[in-house]
Amino acid sequence: MNRIVSILLLISSVSVLYAQKLGIPEIEYFNRRQYGGATQNWKVSQSENDLMYFANNNGLVEYDGVKWQLHRQVGGVIRSVKCINECIYIGTPNDFGYFKYDSLHHLSYTSLANSEELRGLRDVWTINEWNDKVIIHAEGGLIIIENNEVLKVVPSISRFVSCFVVNDMLLVHDEQEGLMELRGDDIYPISGGGFFAEMNVSSIMSLSRRELLIGTMNNGVFKWDMNKVTPWDGSSNELLIDASIFCGTRYNEELLLFGTIQNGVVITDNKGELVMEIDKDKGLANNTVLGIFVDKEGGVWCGLDNGIARISLNNNVSFLTGYYNLGTGYVQEQYEGEWFFGTNQALYKITDEGFRNPLKDRDDFIKINGTDGQVWNLYKEDGNLLCGHNLGVFEIVNNQSKLITPSSVNGVWNFLKVPGHSDLMISGTYNGLILMQKINGRWTFKRHLEGFSESSRYIEWDDLGRLWVSHGNQGIFCLSLSDDYNVEKVRMYTADDFPGNSSLVVTRINNRTTLIGNNGLFIVGKNGEVKDYDELDHFFAPHQYPSIIKEDRFNNLWLFYRDYVEVLRYLEDGTYTKISLPFIPLERKLVTNFESVYIADHENVFFGVEDGYAHYVMQDHYNYRIPFNVHLRSFTGRKDSIPYVLLQKENGSNEQLQVPVYSFKQNHFEFKYAASFYGDKAVEYSTFLSGVDNAPAGWTSSSSRQFTKLREGDYVFTVKARNRFGVQSIPLSFKFTVLPPWHRHVYAKVAYLVFILIIAFVVTYIFNRRIEVSKQNEKLKARERYKEKEEHLTNEALRAEKEMIKMRNDKLRGEMKFKEKELAGLTVHIIQKNNLLSELQGQLKRIKRIKSNDESDRKIDNLIKKIDKDIDNETNWQMFEGQFEQVHQSFLNRLVEKFPDLSDKEKKLCAYIKMGMASKEIASLMNISTRSVENNRYKLRQKLGLQSGDDLSEIITSI
């Protein structure tokens, strides 16, 4: 209900506005390549969820504010369309029925022409809602439908040309009988209705409860007071006769819209006075309007003979662009009943009457001779109109211009009176300043101001009589002038003097010289000091100060930013209120760095734009807070051939009849959404997917979003929209489910559980088995440990025994060494004894050779024999052999075993060789010569079987 009230307030708020609009509303045109249908479009309608529908020669065209879609389920030409509740009724030459979104929110068609009689009623031109019934108007009759069932067919008398519902009456025009009324389930003539026989009634609108306005295609407009018919005495009637009315509708309580064949859209008031004409020349793209409809925002949709158009008739801004061919607008002024427009092409003028004429055309704007080029400024005063031009200063008189500055003056930016001298004026130029003087009521050039030659686009006086000049990015200059207005002193302020401000512009606010930076405002005090000016800071966002501020004569402050404009409206209590929404249509249309505003009066404001001018009518009661809907136009998963659609209803409610379920393999989703707000395309969206997003996504102009690799679970996707007026839609939510992959499915989990149980059983069995095996192994290990211990003890005993044996062996080796020493000593003793005895024997023999007596000889012979006996004493050998056997155990036994044929001498020789004795020592022991020893060794080698090269000592030692 609140929304309906808002829309009614919006529509009704424009009654005064349109009488004052001096430009053309914004027009948005859509060609067949955009909407995908045929060129011709007939009726237009809007559904309860705000979607727009168009009856097209190729089918039903649907538009959601972002995307066009053509529905061809019917096939062929669709003449009429009407949205009633949830149904979209359509009519074709041989069929009628309705489209409706099904449980999956897919638009499907149901035909109601289920008989040959119904299909033979020819073209269906109009569909109306009346007394809770749907009335289908076909040439052959009226079809009365209730609850989507045909109740009755009211046949035409000749041919039903048109049908209208006005003031709760259903009026039908029969070609032969004229205008008639449907009452109950039959038609009846009305008083005066026969007047329209043989005419073509194309529109009927209400002027009051008892007065109707009836438009015909070729005979103009008439009034019917329920009794008689009279011609409409409005001044626009002649125009409408020539234009050929094809359709019509009421815009609000004051304005009437006529769609024509020849002149596009004609707008009048209730009295028939022309308010506006919008045709092909003025941006409509086609003069033939086959259907006209006012949407819930107040925009006017036109079904054209070639395309579709939407006229922003609800905006407070209209434009003098394109068709009027004025060029880029820089300045505007009213002077002596005429309007002057300074552009980049020249200076143009138009009379006030011509400017306010709705039928004005480009030829009504007259170019002032001689002003070709760039116009920067206009100045009017007491019968004088001066034009600041790139060639200098022109004085404008009638349609002529007169250059009053010499050729040395290039580019005059502005005009500024000298305080206290009404006859003097200073102007900033491309290369300095000039002084103008008024003589005999006419302004003349006086001279250049010496001492300053910078471009002086913005100039202002301060309270000390100094002139402040701003020069783009170079900074601001403070000029002190002499009495004859020459520059005596120049002080330059750069960005370094104003930290954080890269550019500065000088202006005047509240009678104070003000410097505007991109990060703050500064004023020049009464004593000439520059200080911060923060009284307006609360109107600006940080680091977002306007590039220029212009104060009008009503003390309003116009704030120009890079791409948009706002105004601080001055209130009676001396405060300001900020207004920005009405100027949104001007975004990115203003002339950047050369913004201009002209305030004609309290209600009319003009702006220079890139292609001409914009006219703004101030209307505080205009409603910018119209609610709108957001729709999910397409939701698809991977391999989906038909998308899911979810439409939001008028109260923001929506009912999702089915929650789609997707397998994990289809885990790729795309959402496409649209806001059914048609007044502006700069709609932003914010989305949120539960389980994925931590917070709603930031606002973006993108109308789609994709997701991949979502985990299994239930998801809710939420989208909301916001238009440039700051109005947000009610959020729309859509639910869907992603099944887990096969390995995470519930059946898989059951299988996993069974598998885990089996594994647990197997593991338990294995564990128990391993315990048994472990016990057996422990027993074996115990046995092994016992055995090892037993072996260890045995080894310990063996080691002890070995130690004992070692000790005995060590003792034996000690004894052996001792015996060896004794044997060696014995051997040495024997050798020494034998040597001594041999020596004595030798001496005795020598004595014997000496001649002596026989007795001495006898005694000497006995002594020699005794010595021989002692030298070869067997006892000595036995003693030696005993000692030798103790040292070299069983050597002689092994020797005998191995070589049994050895003699005693040979055994002795082997023993002596075993001991390592030399041949000389052996010879002494054996009481033989050394040579005999060698011979014995040779013989021994032969007995032992040694070969040449074999070492006898090594062989014997090894035995």
Side-chain angles (χ1 to χ4, degrees):
M1 179 61 71
N2 290 334
R3 185 175 186 191
I4 295 174
V5 172
S6 299
I7 294 171
L8 292 176
L9 287 174
L10 171 120
I11 300 297
S12 63
S13 66
V14 293
S15 58
V16 179
L17 179 148
Y18 282 98
Q20 299 175 350
K21 272 195 173 178
L22 301 176
I24 302 170
E26 275 193 294
I27 301 173
E28 188 174 11
Y29 174 71
F30 306 96
N31 59 48
R32 62 176 301 182
R33 290 179 296 278
Q34 291 173 274
Y35 57 77
T39 55
Q40 278 190 330
N41 296 276
W42 301 88
K43 294 292 191 295
V44 184
S45 187
Q46 186 173 20
S47 68
E48 62 179 6
N49 45 44
D50 295 348
L51 300 184
M52 299 300 305
Y53 292 93
F54 304 85
N56 182 269
N57 278 1
N58 276 359
L60 179 66
V61 174
E62 180 184 60
Y63 183 50
D64 57 20
V66 174
K67 180 182 177 182
W68 295 88
Q69 188 171 357
L70 176 66
H71 299 280
R72 295 176 176 267
Q73 291 92 323
V74 178
V77 178
I78 295 181
R79 299 284 193 195
S80 57
V81 61
K82 178 71 172 181
C83 297
I84 301 174
N85 299 325
E86 296 181 351
C87 296
I88 305 149
Y89 292 90
I90 60 97
T92 73
N94 297 298
D95 191 16
F96 57 89
Y98 62 92
F99 284 87
K100 187 177 181 181
Y101 280 95
D102 57 23
S103 60
L104 296 180
H105 293 275
H106 299 148
L107 198 62
S108 58
Y109 175 70
T110 301
S111 174
L112 297 178
N114 49 19
S115 67
E116 289 297 326
E117 177 189 0
L118 294 175
R119 288 190 290 271
L121 294 175
R122 292 170 288 174
D123 285 355
V124 175
W125 289 100
T126 313
I127 302 172
N128 290 295
E129 183 180 15
W130 177 73
N131 289 346
D132 297 327
K133 297 179 179 64
V134 177
I135 309 299
I136 305 292
H137 156 228
E139 291 182 352
L142 299 179
I143 303 101
I144 303 174
I145 297 174
E146 187 174 20
N147 297 326
N148 290 329
E149 297 289 339
V150 176
L151 297 181
K152 185 178 179 180
V153 176
V154 181
S156 62
I157 298 173
S158 58
R159 179 174 75 94
F160 284 157
V161 178
S162 55
C163 179
F164 308 91
V165 174
V166 187
N167 291 347
D168 299 327
M169 296 186 298
L170 192 143
L171 301 177
V172 59
H173 178 235
D174 186 84
E175 189 174 41
Q176 177 179 323
E177 297 296 324
L179 205 58
M180 307 179 75
E181 180 182 4
L182 177 66
R183 301 171 192 161
D185 56 4
D186 206 349
I187 57 171
Y188 300 91
I190 61 173
S191 176
F195 175 83
F196 297 100
E198 306 301 329
M199 292 186 184
N200 190 333
V201 175
S202 54
S203 68
I204 301 179
M205 291 173 276
S206 172
L207 290 177
S208 66
R209 292 299 299 175
R210 294 194 57 81
E211 193 172 41
L212 301 182
L213 195 67
I214 301 174
T216 64
M217 183 173 292
N218 301 310
N219 304 95
V221 183
F222 301 87
K223 288 198 299 184
W224 178 56
D225 61 2
M226 305 292 176
N227 186 27
K228 62 181 183 297
V229 177
T230 58
W232 194 30
D233 56 2
S235 61
S236 61
N237 206 355
E238 289 299 323
L239 172 66
L240 291 171
I241 292 174
D242 296 334
S244 300
I245 301 171
F246 191 85
C247 55
T249 188
R250 176 171 284 284
Y251 185 74
N252 56 30
E253 293 181 357
E254 297 294 331
L255 297 181
L256 306 173
L257 307 179
F258 295 93
T260 71
I261 300 295
Q262 306 294 337
N263 290 43
V265 176
V266 176
I267 304 174
T268 72
D269 61 16
N270 289 332
K271 296 179 180 180
E273 299 299 320
L274 183 65
V275 173
M276 187 180 300
E277 182 189 55
I278 304 173
D279 57 12
K280 183 176 180 179
D281 289 337
K282 296 178 182 178
L284 193 58
N286 190 273
N287 279 334
T288 302
V289 180
L290 303 177
I292 193 165
F293 179 83
V294 180
D295 65 27
K296 297 174 184 178
E297 299 171 26
V300 177
W301 291 90
C302 300
L304 305 178
D305 190 61
N306 186 3
I308 298 171
R310 184 183 188 273
I311 304 171
S312 296
L313 209 57
N314 53 329
N315 285 347
N316 284 7
V317 179
S318 60
F319 294 90
L320 295 160
T321 56
Y323 164 72
Y324 296 104
N325 195 28
L326 296 175
T328 303
Y330 285 90
V331 65
Q332 185 176 353
E333 187 62 81
Q334 281 182 281
Y335 177 69
E336 294 184 348
E338 294 180 314
W339 293 79
F340 288 83
F341 300 88
T343 72
N344 65 321
Q345 297 178 165
L347 179 64
Y348 298 87
K349 77 168 186 176
I350 186 173
T351 64
D352 184 69
E353 181 181 359
F355 190 44
R356 297 182 184 278
N357 183 1
L359 297 177
K360 62 181 175 290
D361 59 27
R362 61 173 66 93
D363 295 331
D364 294 324
F365 291 86
I366 300 171
K367 184 170 68 174
I368 304 299
N369 295 330
T371 63
D372 291 330
Q374 177 69 60
V375 176
W376 292 119
N377 213 325
L378 292 171
Y379 176 80
K380 68 173 183 178
E381 181 193 59
D382 299 335
N384 288 271
L385 180 64
L386 302 181
C387 171
H389 196 276
N390 67 292
L391 299 178
V393 178
F394 287 92
E395 181 182 23
I396 307 301
V397 179
N398 296 323
N399 293 337
Q400 302 299 319
S401 63
K402 177 184 178 182
L403 185 63
I404 61 174
T405 54
S407 60
S408 60
V409 177
N410 292 318
V412 176
W413 294 111
N414 46 55
F415 301 96
L416 184 64
K417 294 290 289 292
V418 175
H421 298 275
S422 60
D423 61 337
L424 295 177
M425 181 165 57
I426 287 180
S427 292
T429 70
Y430 291 171
N431 51 10
L433 300 163
I434 61 173
L435 183 64
M436 307 279 291
Q437 186 174 15
K438 193 174 186 180
I439 300 175
N440 297 325
R442 316 302 300 177
W443 287 101
T444 60
F445 172 78
K446 186 172 179 65
R447 61 181 174 83
H448 289 276
L449 270 63
E450 301 296 333
F452 187 75
S453 59
E454 299 291 344
S455 178
S456 306
R457 183 176 169 196
Y458 298 101
I459 59 177
E460 291 292 345
W461 298 102
D462 68 9
D463 293 340
L464 298 180
R466 299 177 299 178
L467 187 65
W468 291 76
V469 180
S470 59
H471 184 288
N473 293 326
Q474 287 192 21
I476 289 185
F477 301 91
C478 179
L479 310 182
S480 298
L481 306 180
S482 63
D483 292 339
D484 57 354
Y485 297 100
N486 281 324
V487 179
E488 289 185 334
K489 180 181 178 181
V490 178
R491 179 178 178 182
M492 181 178 179
Y493 293 85
T494 65
D496 295 335
D497 297 307
F498 304 92
N501 295 274
S502 59
S503 62
L504 296 165
V505 173
V506 62
T507 187
R508 197 159 183 83
I509 299 175
N510 294 330
N511 292 320
R512 289 179 288 188
T513 303
T514 305
L515 310 181
I516 304 170
N518 52 10
N519 202 26
L521 303 179
F522 310 88
I523 59 171
V524 180
K526 293 183 177 181
N527 297 321
E529 74 281 7
V530 179
K531 54 186 179 181
D532 290 342
Y533 179 49
D534 57 7
E535 292 181 11
L536 302 176
D537 283 357
H538 61 282
F539 289 111
F540 310 121
H543 311 294
Q544 293 185 13
Y545 284 76
S547 57
I548 183 65
I549 301 176
K550 296 186 178 183
E551 185 177 32
D552 62 27
R553 65 180 186 273
F554 305 113
N555 298 323
N556 302 311
L557 300 180
W558 295 89
L559 316 175
F560 291 94
Y561 298 85
R562 181 175 179 82
D563 294 319
Y564 61 98
V565 61
E566 299 174 336
V567 64
L568 298 182
R569 179 74 62 84
Y570 186 76
L571 304 178
E572 293 180 357
D573 59 0
T575 60
Y576 296 96
T577 182
K578 189 175 183 179
I579 299 174
S580 58
L581 296 181
F583 308 109
I584 286 179
L586 295 175
E587 286 188 9
R588 293 182 292 276
K589 291 184 175 69
L590 300 171
V591 186
T592 304
N593 297 324
F594 293 93
E595 299 86 355
S596 67
V597 58
Y598 175 73
I599 292 81
D601 51 43
H602 280 291
E603 295 296 330
N604 296 280
V605 180
F606 294 85
F607 298 90
V609 295
E610 293 174 345
D611 193 25
Y613 294 86
H615 174 216
Y616 165 63
V617 179
M618 297 185 185
Q619 293 289 338
D620 292 340
H621 54 273
Y622 183 81
N623 182 19
Y624 294 96
R625 299 292 180 181
I626 303 172
F628 61 96
N629 293 325
V630 64
H631 311 288
L632 181 63
R633 299 297 290 145
S634 172
F635 168 75
T636 55
R638 181 175 292 162
K639 298 182 180 180
D640 275 353
S641 58
I642 301 177
Y644 288 87
V645 177
L646 184 60
L647 303 180
Q648 194 173 58
K649 295 184 179 179
E650 190 172 13
N651 58 2
S653 65
N654 64 283
E655 183 181 359
Q656 184 177 347
L657 301 178
Q658 183 176 357
V659 177
V661 178
Y662 290 89
S663 66
F664 197 80
K665 290 183 178 180
Q666 293 179 289
N667 200 334
H668 178 89
F669 305 102
E670 183 177 23
F671 294 86
K672 294 181 179 180
Y673 32 87
S676 52
F677 181 79
Y678 307 103
D680 188 273
K681 297 304 177 188
V683 176
E684 296 178 319
Y685 302 90
S686 176
T687 59
F688 177 78
L689 182 62
S690 64
V692 176
D693 298 326
N694 295 324
W699 293 102
T700 175
S701 59
S702 174
S703 60
S704 65
R705 192 176 177 190
Q706 294 182 350
F707 296 93
T708 58
K709 298 181 180 179
L710 296 179
R711 287 192 62 84
E712 63 271 19
D714 297 325
Y715 291 90
V716 179
F717 178 79
T718 302
V719 59
K720 59 181 178 179
R722 179 181 70 180
N723 61 23
R724 281 207 289 184
F725 299 112
V727 180
Q728 294 187 19
S729 69
I730 298 174
L732 176 71
S733 296
F734 182 83
K735 302 175 182 178
F736 66 101
T737 298
V738 178
L739 296 176
W742 67 266
H743 57 277
R744 289 203 296 264
H745 199 277
V746 62
Y747 298 119
K749 292 179 179 178
V750 171
Y752 296 154
L753 180 60
V754 173
F755 181 73
I756 290 172
L757 292 175
I758 294 173
I759 294 296
F761 174 77
V762 173
V763 169
T764 303
Y765 173 78
I766 294 174
F767 181 74
N768 292 333
R769 181 62 182 166
R770 292 189 66 178
I771 290 176
E772 292 296 326
V773 173
S774 178
K775 289 180 179 180
Q776 295 296 327
N777 290 337
E778 285 297 323
K779 290 180 180 180
L780 293 175
K781 288 180 180 178
R783 291 176 183 175
E784 291 293 330
R785 285 194 297 270
Y786 177 78
K787 186 176 180 180
E788 289 177 359
K789 188 173 183 181
E790 187 177 20
E791 289 178 354
H792 177 71
L793 293 175
T794 303
N795 291 335
E796 287 294 326
L798 290 174
R799 278 195 295 271
E801 185 177 355
K802 288 181 180 179
E803 288 294 327
M804 294 297 293
I805 294 172
K806 181 180 179 184
M807 291 173 64
R808 287 197 298 270
N809 289 339
D810 291 342
K811 183 178 180 181
L812 290 174
R813 279 193 291 272
E815 291 176 351
M816 185 182 291
K817 289 181 181 179
F818 178 73
K819 294 293 183 180
E820 285 180 347
K821 290 179 181 179
E822 285 184 344
L823 180 61
L826 178 61
T827 304
V828 171
H829 173 70
I830 294 171
I831 293 172
Q832 290 176 350
K833 183 196 77 164
N834 289 341
N835 289 336
L836 177 62
L837 293 175
S838 295
E839 183 179 354
L840 288 175
Q841 186 182 39
Q843 289 179 2
L844 289 174
K845 287 180 178 181
R846 285 191 299 271
I847 294 173
K848 184 180 178 182
R849 287 192 294 268
I850 299 173
K851 294 185 181 203
S852 61
N853 54 39
D854 294 334
E855 181 66 23
S856 61
D857 289 339
R858 185 184 60 77
K859 291 181 178 180
I860 290 170
D861 288 333
N862 292 334
L863 182 59
I864 290 170
K865 290 179 180 178
K866 187 178 181 179
I867 291 171
D868 289 333
K869 184 179 180 181
D870 189 64
I871 291 173
D872 193 24
N873 193 348
E874 186 65 27
T875 305
N876 289 336
W877 163 248
Q878 292 177 353
M879 184 184 300
F880 176 82
E881 185 180 11
Q883 291 290 336
F884 183 85
E885 284 295 327
Q886 288 182 9
V887 176
H888 301 285
Q889 298 178 9
S890 303
F891 172 74
L892 294 176
N893 295 331
R894 291 194 300 274
L895 182 66
V896 172
E897 289 176 1
K898 194 169 185 178
F899 305 102
D901 58 344
L902 293 177
S903 65
D904 291 339
K905 286 187 178 180
E906 289 171 343
K907 294 178 183 178
K908 290 180 181 179
L909 181 59
C910 289
Y912 295 148
I913 292 172
K914 175 74 171 175
M915 291 182 65
M917 292 183 179
S919 296
K920 185 177 179 180
E921 293 173 335
I922 296 172
S924 176
L925 288 172
M926 296 183 69
N927 197 20
I928 59 175
S929 64
T930 303
R931 184 172 184 80
S932 298
V933 173
E934 293 296 330
N935 290 332
N936 290 334
R937 288 173 69 99
Y938 178 76
K939 293 178 181 178
L940 180 61
R941 288 177 62 90
Q942 289 180 336
K943 279 194 174 184
L944 295 179
L946 299 182
Q947 300 296 326
S948 176
D950 292 339
D951 191 341
L952 179 63
S953 298
E954 290 183 358
I955 296 301
I956 292 173
T957 302
S958 64
I959 296 173

